Amino acid sequence: MEALNPSPEIRALVAAHVGKVERFLAPKHGYGTDFLAIVEGQQQSFFVKAMRNQPGGRRDQMLREKAINPFVRTLAPELLWSVEDADWIVLGFERVDARDAEFGKGSADVPALVELVNAIGELDLPGVARDWPETRWDWWADRGAPELFRGDTLLHVDINPGNLLIGADRNWVVDWSWPTRGAAFIDPAMLVLQLIGGLYTPAEAESFARGCPAWTEADPEAIDAFVVATARMNRHRALRRPDEPWLDAMAVAAESWAAYRGVTVYH
């Protein structure tokens, strides 16, 4: 891993909880975070993420991840400490030994991914999450469809290879930056989308999702509405950021899924 040289401000905030820092190392991934590092101290290593301490979405994400951590520790690394000043908010997690999951065609990880998605769905909805309704797809959905996305299941939503980790002894779900309360089928649906992005056919991806009770018990009309909204959302993102090919790949995946289900995305 590449060595990092963070600002003196971050060094001071981290040192207050870690003590003398041996080195900061860049992890393999970490999108949408102002600073991300493996911090090696004299006694222990930590996974550290930091955001600029400004009002709005990113600060709110950090506070939400901090609030949900005590309720998801059967799946997620423990948040060991947090600190903030006028400029930064920093979270320090236990470091886990695991690799990114493989979502590509023929991956041996798929059964473990299904198990992890089921485990998320089995978590109790804590009181802290009751005021976090899932609304991200509402703007993209057809009239009346957002009501189909409502529910009382704790959702992770950001199901992707970097957030489902495979270890030697156990597997993990990380980056609980924006958990919500919503319909139970949404996390399995996000797994399907990622598998299609990994070059499984929509039929193959949905066959794996049939290992999720939340998927098999869902109203097909609700899934159709979600696929339509997902395809619109992903195409919009791809058009806005053409320099990021992965966004176009996810848009293509969502559109192929919509075609498979026979739903109309663009009127």
Side-chain angles (χ1 to χ4, degrees):
M1 287 184 284
E2 179 186 357
L4 296 175
N5 185 25
S7 67
E9 294 81 6
I10 288 182
R11 285 184 177 274
L13 289 171
V14 170
H17 288 271
V18 176
K20 183 179 179 181
V21 175
E22 298 291 335
R23 54 183 181 164
F24 291 83
L25 299 171
K28 293 180 180 179
H29 55 80
Y31 302 104
T33 304
D34 292 328
F35 179 78
L36 203 65
I38 302 297
V39 177
E40 294 186 344
Q42 287 183 312
Q43 303 297 325
Q44 187 175 352
S45 295
F46 302 86
F47 182 84
V48 171
K49 61 193 304 186
M51 289 284 197
R52 293 286 182 181
N53 200 354
Q54 300 170 345
R58 289 192 163 191
R59 171 180 165 79
D60 291 346
Q61 288 178 26
M62 296 287 277
L63 295 178
R64 190 171 288 204
E65 185 161 12
K66 178 180 177 180
I68 201 64
N69 184 262
F71 305 100
V72 298
R73 287 181 185 167
T74 56
L75 294 173
E78 181 180 359
L79 177 64
L80 299 173
W81 51 268
S82 65
V83 63
E84 63 180 291
D85 63 10
D87 297 316
W88 290 96
I89 178 168
V90 186
L91 304 180
F93 296 87
E94 65 173 312
R95 181 182 180 183
V96 300
D97 185 14
R99 61 171 174 82
D100 291 0
E102 291 286 344
F103 280 67
K105 184 93 169 182
S107 169
D109 291 344
V110 173
L113 304 182
V114 172
E115 288 181 5
L116 284 173
V117 169
N118 283 336
I120 296 169
E122 291 166 2
L123 292 170
D124 292 333
L125 179 72
V128 69
R130 291 202 168 273
D131 293 330
W132 300 344
E134 179 52 67
T135 60
R136 273 168 283 196
W137 283 267
D138 289 9
W139 195 89
W140 308 100
D142 289 334
R143 185 184 300 274
E147 290 304 312
L148 300 172
F149 309 155
R150 307 293 182 251
D152 288 319
T153 297
L154 179 65
L155 303 175
H156 180 280
V157 177
D158 196 9
I159 304 296
N160 67 60
N163 288 343
L164 302 188
L165 305 184
I166 307 298
D169 300 317
R170 61 167 295 184
N171 303 324
W172 305 84
V173 181
V174 301
D175 197 7
W176 291 80
S177 296
W178 210 250
T180 53
R181 173 176 61 85
F185 76 85
I186 291 178
D187 276 342
M190 296 305 295
L191 174 63
V192 171
L193 178 63
Q194 289 288 333
L195 291 171
I196 297 171
L199 302 183
Y200 285 98
T201 67
E204 290 168 336
E206 287 198 359
S207 74
F208 293 125
R210 286 197 285 273
C212 301
W215 175 267
T216 58
E217 295 168 6
D219 181 352
E221 180 182 349
I223 296 175
D224 285 346
F226 185 81
V227 172
V228 168
T230 297
R232 291 170 180 164
M233 176 194 290
N234 279 277
R235 178 51 62 195
H236 176 76
R237 289 176 174 173
L239 290 172
R240 287 188 63 188
R241 293 152 64 183
D243 56 332
E244 299 185 46
W246 70 272
L247 289 173
D248 184 69
M250 295 312 299
V252 170
E255 289 161 351
S256 69
W257 190 14
Y260 169 74
R261 294 190 68 88
V263 294
T264 301
V265 176
Y266 307 112
H267 298 288

PDB file of all heavy atoms in Angstrom, residues 70-102:
ATOM      1  N   PRO A  70     -23.301   0.949  16.430  1.00  0.00           N
ATOM      2  CA  PRO A  70     -23.574  -0.003  17.519  1.00  0.00           C
ATOM      3  C   PRO A  70     -24.606  -1.067  17.174  1.00  0.00           C
ATOM      4  O   PRO A  70     -24.625  -2.129  17.805  1.00  0.00           O
ATOM      5  CB  PRO A  70     -24.092   0.906  18.649  1.00  0.00           C
ATOM      6  CG  PRO A  70     -23.547   2.257  18.338  1.00  0.00           C
ATOM      7  CD  PRO A  70     -23.543   2.343  16.846  1.00  0.00           C
ATOM      8  N   PHE A  71     -25.432  -0.811  16.157  1.00  0.00           N
ATOM      9  CA  PHE A  71     -26.528  -1.714  15.828  1.00  0.00           C
ATOM     10  C   PHE A  71     -26.197  -2.656  14.678  1.00  0.00           C
ATOM     11  O   PHE A  71     -27.009  -3.526  14.347  1.00  0.00           O
ATOM     12  CB  PHE A  71     -27.784  -0.899  15.492  1.00  0.00           C
ATOM     13  CG  PHE A  71     -28.173   0.063  16.571  1.00  0.00           C
ATOM     14  CD1 PHE A  71     -27.852   1.412  16.469  1.00  0.00           C
ATOM     15  CD2 PHE A  71     -28.823  -0.382  17.719  1.00  0.00           C
ATOM     16  CE1 PHE A  71     -28.188   2.306  17.470  1.00  0.00           C
ATOM     17  CE2 PHE A  71     -29.163   0.497  18.722  1.00  0.00           C
ATOM     18  CZ  PHE A  71     -28.841   1.850  18.610  1.00  0.00           C
ATOM     19  N   VAL A  72     -25.027  -2.505  14.065  1.00  0.00           N
ATOM     20  CA  VAL A  72     -24.682  -3.335  12.906  1.00  0.00           C
ATOM     21  C   VAL A  72     -23.358  -4.065  13.104  1.00  0.00           C
ATOM     22  O   VAL A  72     -22.770  -4.556  12.141  1.00  0.00           O
ATOM     23  CB  VAL A  72     -24.655  -2.497  11.606  1.00  0.00           C
ATOM     24  CG1 VAL A  72     -26.021  -1.902  11.327  1.00  0.00           C
ATOM     25  CG2 VAL A  72     -23.591  -1.406  11.663  1.00  0.00           C
ATOM     26  N   ARG A  73     -22.898  -4.155  14.337  1.00  0.00           N
ATOM     27  CA  ARG A  73     -21.570  -4.727  14.579  1.00  0.00           C
ATOM     28  C   ARG A  73     -21.495  -6.226  14.351  1.00  0.00           C
ATOM     29  O   ARG A  73     -20.400  -6.784  14.312  1.00  0.00           O
ATOM     30  CB  ARG A  73     -21.113  -4.384  15.996  1.00  0.00           C
ATOM     31  CG  ARG A  73     -20.723  -2.924  16.150  1.00  0.00           C
ATOM     32  CD  ARG A  73     -20.256  -2.620  17.546  1.00  0.00           C
ATOM     33  NE  ARG A  73     -19.990  -1.189  17.712  1.00  0.00           N
ATOM     34  CZ  ARG A  73     -19.804  -0.612  18.891  1.00  0.00           C
ATOM     35  NH1 ARG A  73     -19.855  -1.325  20.002  1.00  0.00           N
ATOM     36  NH2 ARG A  73     -19.569   0.686  18.944  1.00  0.00           N
ATOM     37  N   THR A  74     -22.628  -6.902  14.191  1.00  0.00           N
ATOM     38  CA  THR A  74     -22.556  -8.308  13.794  1.00  0.00           C
ATOM     39  C   THR A  74     -22.043  -8.445  12.365  1.00  0.00           C
ATOM     40  O   THR A  74     -21.581  -9.520  11.967  1.00  0.00           O
ATOM     41  CB  THR A  74     -23.930  -8.976  13.902  1.00  0.00           C
ATOM     42  OG1 THR A  74     -24.878  -8.233  13.118  1.00  0.00           O
ATOM     43  CG2 THR A  74     -24.392  -9.044  15.352  1.00  0.00           C
ATOM     44  N   LEU A  75     -22.094  -7.357  11.609  1.00  0.00           N
ATOM     45  CA  LEU A  75     -21.654  -7.374  10.210  1.00  0.00           C
ATOM     46  C   LEU A  75     -20.527  -6.392   9.929  1.00  0.00           C
ATOM     47  O   LEU A  75     -19.752  -6.609   8.999  1.00  0.00           O
ATOM     48  CB  LEU A  75     -22.829  -7.035   9.287  1.00  0.00           C
ATOM     49  CG  LEU A  75     -23.981  -8.035   9.245  1.00  0.00           C
ATOM     50  CD1 LEU A  75     -25.127  -7.479   8.419  1.00  0.00           C
ATOM     51  CD2 LEU A  75     -23.512  -9.356   8.668  1.00  0.00           C
ATOM     52  N   ALA A  76     -20.452  -5.318  10.699  1.00  0.00           N
ATOM     53  CA  ALA A  76     -19.533  -4.222  10.387  1.00  0.00           C
ATOM     54  C   ALA A  76     -18.417  -4.125  11.423  1.00  0.00           C
ATOM     55  O   ALA A  76     -18.607  -4.459  12.594  1.00  0.00           O
ATOM     56  CB  ALA A  76     -20.296  -2.899  10.354  1.00  0.00           C
ATOM     57  N   PRO A  77     -17.243  -3.636  11.008  1.00  0.00           N
ATOM     58  CA  PRO A  77     -16.181  -3.366  11.975  1.00  0.00           C
ATOM     59  C   PRO A  77     -16.652  -2.355  13.016  1.00  0.00           C
ATOM     60  O   PRO A  77     -17.462  -1.467  12.730  1.00  0.00           O
ATOM     61  CB  PRO A  77     -15.064  -2.781  11.103  1.00  0.00           C
ATOM     62  CG  PRO A  77     -15.352  -3.286   9.727  1.00  0.00           C
ATOM     63  CD  PRO A  77     -16.831  -3.365   9.621  1.00  0.00           C
ATOM     64  N   GLU A  78     -16.114  -2.487  14.208  1.00  0.00           N
ATOM     65  CA  GLU A  78     -16.536  -1.619  15.301  1.00  0.00           C
ATOM     66  C   GLU A  78     -15.924  -0.222  15.155  1.00  0.00           C
ATOM     67  O   GLU A  78     -14.748  -0.065  14.837  1.00  0.00           O
ATOM     68  CB  GLU A  78     -16.105  -2.214  16.641  1.00  0.00           C
ATOM     69  CG  GLU A  78     -16.533  -1.390  17.843  1.00  0.00           C
ATOM     70  CD  GLU A  78     -16.106  -1.994  19.163  1.00  0.00           C
ATOM     71  OE1 GLU A  78     -15.491  -3.086  19.136  1.00  0.00           O
ATOM     72  OE2 GLU A  78     -16.378  -1.381  20.223  1.00  0.00           O
ATOM     73  N   LEU A  79     -16.751   0.783  15.389  1.00  0.00           N
ATOM     74  CA  LEU A  79     -16.244   2.154  15.478  1.00  0.00           C
ATOM     75  C   LEU A  79     -15.622   2.319  16.856  1.00  0.00           C
ATOM     76  O   LEU A  79     -16.307   2.248  17.873  1.00  0.00           O
ATOM     77  CB  LEU A  79     -17.377   3.156  15.280  1.00  0.00           C
ATOM     78  CG  LEU A  79     -16.997   4.635  15.427  1.00  0.00           C
ATOM     79  CD1 LEU A  79     -16.005   5.054  14.351  1.00  0.00           C
ATOM     80  CD2 LEU A  79     -18.236   5.520  15.391  1.00  0.00           C
ATOM     81  N   LEU A  80     -14.319   2.540  16.894  1.00  0.00           N
ATOM     82  CA  LEU A  80     -13.582   2.579  18.151  1.00  0.00           C
ATOM     83  C   LEU A  80     -13.473   3.981  18.727  1.00  0.00           C
ATOM     84  O   LEU A  80     -13.381   4.148  19.934  1.00  0.00           O
ATOM     85  CB  LEU A  80     -12.183   1.992  17.946  1.00  0.00           C
ATOM     86  CG  LEU A  80     -12.149   0.534  17.490  1.00  0.00           C
ATOM     87  CD1 LEU A  80     -10.731   0.111  17.158  1.00  0.00           C
ATOM     88  CD2 LEU A  80     -12.738  -0.381  18.562  1.00  0.00           C
ATOM     89  N   TRP A  81     -13.468   4.986  17.861  1.00  0.00           N
ATOM     90  CA  TRP A  81     -13.387   6.359  18.341  1.00  0.00           C
ATOM     91  C   TRP A  81     -13.813   7.315  17.237  1.00  0.00           C
ATOM     92  O   TRP A  81     -13.849   6.952  16.061  1.00  0.00           O
ATOM     93  CB  TRP A  81     -11.976   6.711  18.819  1.00  0.00           C
ATOM     94  CG  TRP A  81     -10.861   6.387  17.856  1.00  0.00           C
ATOM     95  CD1 TRP A  81     -10.126   5.238  17.798  1.00  0.00           C
ATOM     96  CD2 TRP A  81     -10.384   7.217  16.784  1.00  0.00           C
ATOM     97  NE1 TRP A  81      -9.224   5.292  16.775  1.00  0.00           N
ATOM     98  CE2 TRP A  81      -9.340   6.495  16.135  1.00  0.00           C
ATOM     99  CE3 TRP A  81     -10.703   8.476  16.325  1.00  0.00           C
ATOM    100  CZ2 TRP A  81      -8.654   7.003  15.043  1.00  0.00           C
ATOM    101  CZ3 TRP A  81     -10.015   8.996  15.233  1.00  0.00           C
ATOM    102  CH2 TRP A  81      -8.998   8.265  14.610  1.00  0.00           C
ATOM    103  N   SER A  82     -14.168   8.503  17.619  1.00  0.00           N
ATOM    104  CA  SER A  82     -14.478   9.567  16.672  1.00  0.00           C
ATOM    105  C   SER A  82     -14.024  10.887  17.268  1.00  0.00           C
ATOM    106  O   SER A  82     -13.940  11.042  18.495  1.00  0.00           O
ATOM    107  CB  SER A  82     -15.973   9.612  16.357  1.00  0.00           C
ATOM    108  OG  SER A  82     -16.715   9.946  17.511  1.00  0.00           O
ATOM    109  N   VAL A  83     -13.717  11.826  16.401  1.00  0.00           N
ATOM    110  CA  VAL A  83     -13.226  13.123  16.859  1.00  0.00           C
ATOM    111  C   VAL A  83     -13.528  14.151  15.784  1.00  0.00           C
ATOM    112  O   VAL A  83     -13.607  13.814  14.596  1.00  0.00           O
ATOM    113  CB  VAL A  83     -11.706  13.058  17.161  1.00  0.00           C
ATOM    114  CG1 VAL A  83     -10.910  12.741  15.918  1.00  0.00           C
ATOM    115  CG2 VAL A  83     -11.212  14.339  17.809  1.00  0.00           C
ATOM    116  N   GLU A  84     -13.733  15.382  16.179  1.00  0.00           N
ATOM    117  CA  GLU A  84     -13.933  16.438  15.200  1.00  0.00           C
ATOM    118  C   GLU A  84     -13.450  17.770  15.745  1.00  0.00           C
ATOM    119  O   GLU A  84     -13.347  17.975  16.961  1.00  0.00           O
ATOM    120  CB  GLU A  84     -15.392  16.545  14.779  1.00  0.00           C
ATOM    121  CG  GLU A  84     -16.366  16.915  15.860  1.00  0.00           C
ATOM    122  CD  GLU A  84     -17.800  16.996  15.326  1.00  0.00           C
ATOM    123  OE1 GLU A  84     -18.094  17.936  14.542  1.00  0.00           O
ATOM    124  OE2 GLU A  84     -18.611  16.123  15.690  1.00  0.00           O
ATOM    125  N   ASP A  85     -13.143  18.669  14.812  1.00  0.00           N
ATOM    126  CA  ASP A  85     -12.866  20.057  15.160  1.00  0.00           C
ATOM    127  C   ASP A  85     -13.611  20.918  14.156  1.00  0.00           C
ATOM    128  O   ASP A  85     -14.520  20.434  13.458  1.00  0.00           O
ATOM    129  CB  ASP A  85     -11.358  20.342  15.189  1.00  0.00           C
ATOM    130  CG  ASP A  85     -10.676  20.159  13.840  1.00  0.00           C
ATOM    131  OD1 ASP A  85     -11.386  19.992  12.826  1.00  0.00           O
ATOM    132  OD2 ASP A  85      -9.441  20.188  13.803  1.00  0.00           O
ATOM    133  N   ALA A  86     -13.264  22.173  14.056  1.00  0.00           N
ATOM    134  CA  ALA A  86     -13.992  23.064  13.166  1.00  0.00           C
ATOM    135  C   ALA A  86     -13.837  22.675  11.703  1.00  0.00           C
ATOM    136  O   ALA A  86     -14.691  23.010  10.871  1.00  0.00           O
ATOM    137  CB  ALA A  86     -13.526  24.496  13.381  1.00  0.00           C
ATOM    138  N   ASP A  87     -12.769  21.973  11.370  1.00  0.00           N
ATOM    139  CA  ASP A  87     -12.476  21.668   9.964  1.00  0.00           C
ATOM    140  C   ASP A  87     -12.755  20.233   9.551  1.00  0.00           C
ATOM    141  O   ASP A  87     -13.069  19.971   8.388  1.00  0.00           O
ATOM    142  CB  ASP A  87     -11.013  21.982   9.673  1.00  0.00           C
ATOM    143  CG  ASP A  87     -10.693  23.458   9.844  1.00  0.00           C
ATOM    144  OD1 ASP A  87     -11.492  24.287   9.381  1.00  0.00           O
ATOM    145  OD2 ASP A  87      -9.652  23.769  10.445  1.00  0.00           O
ATOM    146  N   TRP A  88     -12.609  19.274  10.469  1.00  0.00           N
ATOM    147  CA  TRP A  88     -12.692  17.863  10.115  1.00  0.00           C
ATOM    148  C   TRP A  88     -13.555  17.085  11.100  1.00  0.00           C
ATOM    149  O   TRP A  88     -13.624  17.420  12.287  1.00  0.00           O
ATOM    150  CB  TRP A  88     -11.292  17.235  10.121  1.00  0.00           C
ATOM    151  CG  TRP A  88     -10.406  17.704   9.016  1.00  0.00           C
ATOM    152  CD1 TRP A  88      -9.478  18.709   9.077  1.00  0.00           C
ATOM    153  CD2 TRP A  88     -10.368  17.199   7.682  1.00  0.00           C
ATOM    154  NE1 TRP A  88      -8.858  18.852   7.868  1.00  0.00           N
ATOM    155  CE2 TRP A  88      -9.384  17.939   6.990  1.00  0.00           C
ATOM    156  CE3 TRP A  88     -11.058  16.193   7.004  1.00  0.00           C
ATOM    157  CZ2 TRP A  88      -9.084  17.702   5.649  1.00  0.00           C
ATOM    158  CZ3 TRP A  88     -10.746  15.963   5.675  1.00  0.00           C
ATOM    159  CH2 TRP A  88      -9.781  16.707   5.009  1.00  0.00           C
ATOM    160  N   ILE A  89     -14.198  16.030  10.570  1.00  0.00           N
ATOM    161  CA  ILE A  89     -14.829  15.013  11.401  1.00  0.00           C
ATOM    162  C   ILE A  89     -14.209  13.681  10.997  1.00  0.00           C
ATOM    163  O   ILE A  89     -14.112  13.367   9.806  1.00  0.00           O
ATOM    164  CB  ILE A  89     -16.366  15.017  11.252  1.00  0.00           C
ATOM    165  CG1 ILE A  89     -16.998  13.907  12.091  1.00  0.00           C
ATOM    166  CG2 ILE A  89     -16.804  14.916   9.789  1.00  0.00           C
ATOM    167  CD1 ILE A  89     -18.512  14.035  12.208  1.00  0.00           C
ATOM    168  N   VAL A  90     -13.730  12.902  11.996  1.00  0.00           N
ATOM    169  CA  VAL A  90     -12.926  11.705  11.738  1.00  0.00           C
ATOM    170  C   VAL A  90     -13.513  10.520  12.495  1.00  0.00           C
ATOM    171  O   VAL A  90     -13.865  10.637  13.677  1.00  0.00           O
ATOM    172  CB  VAL A  90     -11.458  11.917  12.179  1.00  0.00           C
ATOM    173  CG1 VAL A  90     -10.606  10.723  11.771  1.00  0.00           C
ATOM    174  CG2 VAL A  90     -10.897  13.214  11.607  1.00  0.00           C
ATOM    175  N   LEU A  91     -13.609   9.373  11.817  1.00  0.00           N
ATOM    176  CA  LEU A  91     -14.063   8.121  12.428  1.00  0.00           C
ATOM    177  C   LEU A  91     -12.928   7.108  12.362  1.00  0.00           C
ATOM    178  O   LEU A  91     -12.301   6.943  11.316  1.00  0.00           O
ATOM    179  CB  LEU A  91     -15.287   7.566  11.708  1.00  0.00           C
ATOM    180  CG  LEU A  91     -16.510   8.473  11.590  1.00  0.00           C
ATOM    181  CD1 LEU A  91     -17.635   7.751  10.846  1.00  0.00           C
ATOM    182  CD2 LEU A  91     -16.990   8.944  12.953  1.00  0.00           C
ATOM    183  N   GLY A  92     -12.694   6.413  13.486  1.00  0.00           N
ATOM    184  CA  GLY A  92     -11.662   5.388  13.538  1.00  0.00           C
ATOM    185  C   GLY A  92     -12.260   4.027  13.822  1.00  0.00           C
ATOM    186  O   GLY A  92     -12.823   3.800  14.897  1.00  0.00           O
ATOM    187  N   PHE A  93     -12.142   3.111  12.863  1.00  0.00           N
ATOM    188  CA  PHE A  93     -12.725   1.775  12.974  1.00  0.00           C
ATOM    189  C   PHE A  93     -11.637   0.729  13.219  1.00  0.00           C
ATOM    190  O   PHE A  93     -10.471   0.935  12.864  1.00  0.00           O
ATOM    191  CB  PHE A  93     -13.444   1.401  11.674  1.00  0.00           C
ATOM    192  CG  PHE A  93     -14.615   2.259  11.329  1.00  0.00           C
ATOM    193  CD1 PHE A  93     -14.450   3.433  10.601  1.00  0.00           C
ATOM    194  CD2 PHE A  93     -15.886   1.907  11.730  1.00  0.00           C
ATOM    195  CE1 PHE A  93     -15.533   4.234  10.270  1.00  0.00           C
ATOM    196  CE2 PHE A  93     -16.984   2.690  11.404  1.00  0.00           C
ATOM    197  CZ  PHE A  93     -16.798   3.865  10.682  1.00  0.00           C
ATOM    198  N   GLU A  94     -12.067  -0.416  13.770  1.00  0.00           N
ATOM    199  CA  GLU A  94     -11.136  -1.529  13.838  1.00  0.00           C
ATOM    200  C   GLU A  94     -10.747  -1.933  12.413  1.00  0.00           C
ATOM    201  O   GLU A  94     -11.559  -1.874  11.482  1.00  0.00           O
ATOM    202  CB  GLU A  94     -11.764  -2.720  14.565  1.00  0.00           C
ATOM    203  CG  GLU A  94     -12.949  -3.356  13.856  1.00  0.00           C
ATOM    204  CD  GLU A  94     -13.425  -4.635  14.525  1.00  0.00           C
ATOM    205  OE1 GLU A  94     -12.581  -5.501  14.826  1.00  0.00           O
ATOM    206  OE2 GLU A  94     -14.648  -4.765  14.722  1.00  0.00           O
ATOM    207  N   ARG A  95      -9.514  -2.316  12.254  1.00  0.00           N
ATOM    208  CA  ARG A  95      -9.047  -2.761  10.945  1.00  0.00           C
ATOM    209  C   ARG A  95      -9.324  -4.249  10.806  1.00  0.00           C
ATOM    210  O   ARG A  95      -9.032  -5.031  11.721  1.00  0.00           O
ATOM    211  CB  ARG A  95      -7.553  -2.493  10.790  1.00  0.00           C
ATOM    212  CG  ARG A  95      -6.987  -2.913   9.439  1.00  0.00           C
ATOM    213  CD  ARG A  95      -5.494  -2.668   9.385  1.00  0.00           C
ATOM    214  NE  ARG A  95      -4.927  -3.072   8.104  1.00  0.00           N
ATOM    215  CZ  ARG A  95      -3.636  -3.016   7.807  1.00  0.00           C
ATOM    216  NH1 ARG A  95      -2.768  -2.567   8.715  1.00  0.00           N
ATOM    217  NH2 ARG A  95      -3.196  -3.408   6.618  1.00  0.00           N
ATOM    218  N   VAL A  96      -9.906  -4.646   9.680  1.00  0.00           N
ATOM    219  CA  VAL A  96     -10.216  -6.057   9.454  1.00  0.00           C
ATOM    220  C   VAL A  96      -9.387  -6.569   8.286  1.00  0.00           C
ATOM    221  O   VAL A  96      -9.035  -5.823   7.366  1.00  0.00           O
ATOM    222  CB  VAL A  96     -11.717  -6.276   9.190  1.00  0.00           C
ATOM    223  CG1 VAL A  96     -12.529  -5.807  10.391  1.00  0.00           C
ATOM    224  CG2 VAL A  96     -12.187  -5.565   7.931  1.00  0.00           C
ATOM    225  N   ASP A  97      -9.080  -7.848   8.342  1.00  0.00           N
ATOM    226  CA  ASP A  97      -8.287  -8.496   7.297  1.00  0.00           C
ATOM    227  C   ASP A  97      -9.245  -9.165   6.317  1.00  0.00           C
ATOM    228  O   ASP A  97      -9.762 -10.259   6.583  1.00  0.00           O
ATOM    229  CB  ASP A  97      -7.342  -9.517   7.925  1.00  0.00           C
ATOM    230  CG  ASP A  97      -6.402 -10.142   6.895  1.00  0.00           C
ATOM    231  OD1 ASP A  97      -6.311  -9.590   5.777  1.00  0.00           O
ATOM    232  OD2 ASP A  97      -5.767 -11.165   7.215  1.00  0.00           O
ATOM    233  N   ALA A  98      -9.511  -8.495   5.213  1.00  0.00           N
ATOM    234  CA  ALA A  98     -10.474  -9.014   4.244  1.00  0.00           C
ATOM    235  C   ALA A  98     -10.204  -8.370   2.897  1.00  0.00           C
ATOM    236  O   ALA A  98      -9.537  -7.345   2.793  1.00  0.00           O
ATOM    237  CB  ALA A  98     -11.900  -8.717   4.709  1.00  0.00           C
ATOM    238  N   ARG A  99     -10.753  -8.983   1.865  1.00  0.00           N
ATOM    239  CA  ARG A  99     -10.599  -8.480   0.500  1.00  0.00           C
ATOM    240  C   ARG A  99     -11.956  -8.084  -0.064  1.00  0.00           C
ATOM    241  O   ARG A  99     -13.004  -8.503   0.431  1.00  0.00           O
ATOM    242  CB  ARG A  99      -9.987  -9.564  -0.393  1.00  0.00           C
ATOM    243  CG  ARG A  99     -10.830 -10.815  -0.504  1.00  0.00           C
ATOM    244  CD  ARG A  99     -10.315 -11.778  -1.556  1.00  0.00           C
ATOM    245  NE  ARG A  99     -11.065 -13.039  -1.548  1.00  0.00           N
ATOM    246  CZ  ARG A  99     -12.236 -13.215  -2.141  1.00  0.00           C
ATOM    247  NH1 ARG A  99     -12.822 -12.217  -2.804  1.00  0.00           N
ATOM    248  NH2 ARG A  99     -12.847 -14.401  -2.087  1.00  0.00           N
ATOM    249  N   ASP A 100     -11.924  -7.267  -1.104  1.00  0.00           N
ATOM    250  CA  ASP A 100     -13.151  -6.913  -1.805  1.00  0.00           C
ATOM    251  C   ASP A 100     -13.801  -8.171  -2.382  1.00  0.00           C
ATOM    252  O   ASP A 100     -13.115  -9.069  -2.876  1.00  0.00           O
ATOM    253  CB  ASP A 100     -12.859  -5.957  -2.955  1.00  0.00           C
ATOM    254  CG  ASP A 100     -12.421  -4.582  -2.489  1.00  0.00           C
ATOM    255  OD1 ASP A 100     -12.340  -4.370  -1.263  1.00  0.00           O
ATOM    256  OD2 ASP A 100     -12.155  -3.729  -3.355  1.00  0.00           O
ATOM    257  N   ALA A 101     -15.113  -8.211  -2.329  1.00  0.00           N
ATOM    258  CA  ALA A 101     -15.842  -9.327  -2.922  1.00  0.00           C
ATOM    259  C   ALA A 101     -15.747  -9.276  -4.446  1.00  0.00           C
ATOM    260  O   ALA A 101     -15.585  -8.213  -5.041  1.00  0.00           O
ATOM    261  CB  ALA A 101     -17.303  -9.281  -2.492  1.00  0.00           C
ATOM    262  N   GLU A 102     -15.872 -10.449  -5.051  1.00  0.00           N
ATOM    263  CA  GLU A 102     -15.877 -10.563  -6.511  1.00  0.00           C
ATOM    264  C   GLU A 102     -17.324 -10.715  -6.987  1.00  0.00           C
ATOM    265  O   GLU A 102     -18.025 -11.643  -6.593  1.00  0.00           O
ATOM    266  CB  GLU A 102     -15.058 -11.774  -6.950  1.00  0.00           C
ATOM    267  CG  GLU A 102     -13.561 -11.634  -6.709  1.00  0.00           C
ATOM    268  CD  GLU A 102     -12.904 -10.681  -7.695  1.00  0.00           C
ATOM    269  OE1 GLU A 102     -13.546 -10.382  -8.722  1.00  0.00           O
ATOM    270  OE2 GLU A 102     -11.784 -10.234  -7.415  1.00  0.00           O
TER     271      GLU A 102
END
